[in-house]
Amino acid sequence: MALAEQAKRVADEFGFGPDAVNKAVKEFIREMDEGLLQEGTELSQIPTYVTAVPNGTEKGLYMAVDLGGTNFRVCSIQLHGNTTFSLTQNKVAIPKELMVAKTSQELFSFLAKQIETFLKTHHEEHYTGFLRRRNTIGSTQEEEIFNLGFTFSFPVNQIGINKGLLMRWTKGFDIADAVGKDVCALLQTEIDALGLPVRVAALVNDTVGTLMARSYTSPGKTGTLLGAIFGTGTNGAYVEKLDKVTKLTKSKNSGDYDKSTGEMIVNTEWGSFDNSLRTLPNTPYDKELDEKSVNPGIQMFEKRVSGMFLGEILRLAIVGLLKDPTFPLFRDENSAQNDVHSTTQIHDNSPLYKQWGLDTSFLSICAGDTSPGHRMIRQTLDKDYGVSAVSAEDAEAVRAIAAAVGRRAARLAAVAIAGIVINTGRLDSAKGTATTEQKEGINPPRGDVELSEDDVIDIGVDGSLVEFYPNFEDHIREALREIESIGEKGEKRIRIGIAKDGSGVGAALIALVAGKLGLSVSPKPGIIWPETRVHIAWAA
Ligand code: GLC
């Protein structure tokens, strides 16, 4: 069998057709409802205690930190009070050994040190002034303390605006002693050990921050419905009707929260959608990836969708093929077609032979290289993956399989988006979120919007996959059109917009309000947003 045909056979293993998509959407809706009723379900459906998306203007300086899956970002946001603000940020890669550190203190002291470095670099005057006053007069002023929003992108059982217990680690992190602890307290302890003028005022999931930030910048009248991340991990937070969140409203143990908007933002933790594999596809490569992961059996949706895993799925598929002597990939039969007219070779140390050796960015390169001969793919295989003299046929075979892995991820992403759009009833009514009415007339709609603004269902997204994988949104849209209760008409109503780095801004804004209301001093769940207006503008 020719290489191209055999590659197609493997690519077809990643098929996820319209029937499978529709079946998965029904399961997603079932799990959404189940998660709103009780604890311990596949979709965690965590109430965030945030009951509206903010739309206020304030002056002042706020901080945010963001512990994602790959990087730790520290930023400060200066709100100018005239509907704009500037943002200064610093990003460091989280050292791999800290992701699996023996104690949580090792990780959190590293984070506190990054905050210290950031303050010294970007707010030196403020920081040294604070130290001077503390050392000379022995006391400091409340205004000198930065309120900090902590974006912590892992499943947390939120029990207050700046209090949340880690449920489990995801995305390759594994530090046993942190599970069950309040992550804000862990960070505050290390901040205090360094004597920094910083108070952890709010705890936010990155999806919630994305939803907040998008809601400011969204060009329409209807408030944003969903904030979603398709990056190292994947997850979504959406605006739910409060009376559906019965596990909170009927519980005797829940804290106070504002009931006036009748809504609450819920963090779905959809990375764990269908852990029991009722509807998710399960190729031999998915199985192997899961078995060798630090958390087998959980985050099964995430393991098929997000950036941390797609490269590894492709790697396992390629390595599986290389083990098969009848499969002509990277073999001399094809070498006549390569540029250098030498035999194809895979270096013994090729990252292709190491777990996590293939980066998901390679899938983006494959999807982006439509040139005849696939020069980019061949060069990358040579330069980054130790495979020399790759033929055009080899590159085409790899490209076909990579495209199938990426397309399946996008079609699965559509399942989650569709589940939320359908189950919140947004397709039936043109009603927006609590913010909608308040926002009316604030900002003129920006960009060309063909639809009536009342019909738009707005979704904010962020993460490396949506940002860098070519046509990720197109594949999502193709699947959305195939979903029975969405179809072409519904798909057109869904507007997907990037809320770049929104999670940091969202966190700072929540810190702002939490600090202002004094919630951070006496932690108490529930935010009531003041009647103020902010328009976000990005600093260059
Ligand atoms: C993982 C985390 C989740 C986060 C997502 C995106 O799924 O569990 O909390 O939102 O990654 O970063």
Side-chain angles (χ1 to χ4, degrees), residues 152-155 170-171 205-207 229 233-235 267 269 271 299 302:
F152 183 74
S153 306
F154 298 89
T170 54
K171 299 180 283 196
N205 187 266
D206 52 355
T207 56
I229 301 282
T234 183
N235 187 18
N267 168 13
E269 284 296 328
Q299 300 295 100
E302 183 161 84

Side-chain angles (χ1 to χ4, degrees), residues 69-134:
T70 313
N71 295 311
F72 181 63
R73 284 188 299 148
V74 187
C75 51
S76 60
I77 292 167
Q78 179 76 54
L79 293 164
H80 302 308
N82 62 352
T83 76
T84 64
F85 66 75
S86 2
L87 177 130
T88 312
Q89 73 162 323
N90 193 18
K91 187 160 99 175
V92 283
I94 305 159
K96 286 248 179 317
E97 62 277 12
L98 287 185
M99 298 181 179
V100 290
K102 290 223 169 52
T103 62
S104 54
Q105 201 227 343
E106 289 169 55
L107 173 67
F108 284 88
S109 67
F110 169 82
L111 305 186
K113 278 194 199 96
Q114 303 309 310
I115 299 174
E116 182 180 47
T117 309
F118 179 86
L119 285 176
K120 283 183 182 160
T121 316
H122 297 289
H123 299 283
E124 205 206 342
E125 231 171 87
H126 183 117
Y127 178 55
T128 46
F130 168 84
L131 290 186
R132 205 175 38 245
R133 278 183 290 283
R134 193 182 55 189

Side-chain angles (χ1 to χ4, degrees), residues 147-321:
N147 276 315
L148 174 133
F150 183 17
T151 302
F152 183 74
S153 306
F154 298 89
V156 158
N157 180 12
Q158 193 131 5
I159 47 178
I161 195 60
N162 67 349
K163 211 173 165 69
L165 314 178
L166 176 64
M167 294 160 72
R168 59 178 183 275
W169 287 107
T170 54
K171 299 180 283 196
F173 279 67
D174 187 17
I175 309 170
D177 79 343
V179 176
K181 299 237 173 80
D182 173 13
V183 292
C184 289
L186 291 177
L187 182 59
Q188 189 70 62
T189 304
E190 299 308 320
I191 287 173
D192 293 347
L194 295 177
L196 308 178
V198 174
R199 175 195 299 125
V200 184
L203 177 65
V204 189
N205 187 266
D206 52 355
T207 56
V208 180
T210 300
L211 173 56
M212 300 274 152
R214 172 68 190 174
S215 196
Y216 284 112
T217 52
S218 154
K221 285 198 290 180
T222 47
T224 304
L225 170 67
L226 166 68
I229 301 282
F230 298 103
T232 307
T234 183
N235 187 18
Y238 73 104
V239 183
E240 182 56 281
K241 289 190 195 69
L242 193 52
D243 58 15
K244 276 190 81 180
V245 195
T246 45
K247 70 175 174 191
L248 177 79
T249 53
K250 299 259 152 68
S251 159
K252 290 193 182 72
N253 302 325
S254 64
D256 283 346
Y257 50 91
D258 166 36
K259 301 188 178 70
S260 65
T261 65
E263 291 176 341
M264 181 171 282
I265 294 171
V266 171
N267 168 13
T268 63
E269 284 296 328
W270 73 36
S272 266
F273 163 57
D274 198 13
N275 278 346
S276 42
L277 301 181
R278 290 184 186 93
T279 61
L280 289 181
N282 200 22
T283 67
Y285 324 109
D286 296 308
K287 282 185 201 149
E288 189 176 345
L289 179 147
D290 181 51
E291 275 160 22
K292 295 186 176 154
S293 70
V294 291
N295 52 359
I298 62 166
Q299 300 295 100
M300 297 305 250
F301 181 74
E302 183 161 84
K303 283 174 180 158
R304 284 150 181 78
V305 173
S306 74
M308 174 159 178
F309 304 99
L310 298 187
E312 180 67 0
I313 296 176
L314 177 63
R315 188 190 74 83
L316 291 171
I318 293 175
V319 170
L321 295 177

Side-chain angles (χ1 to χ4, degrees), residues 426-440:
R426 288 300 173 105
L427 287 165
D428 318 325
S429 71
K431 186 150 175 2
T433 66
T435 318
T436 309
E437 286 77 20
Q438 297 156 15
K439 270 185 94 172
E440 214 165 339

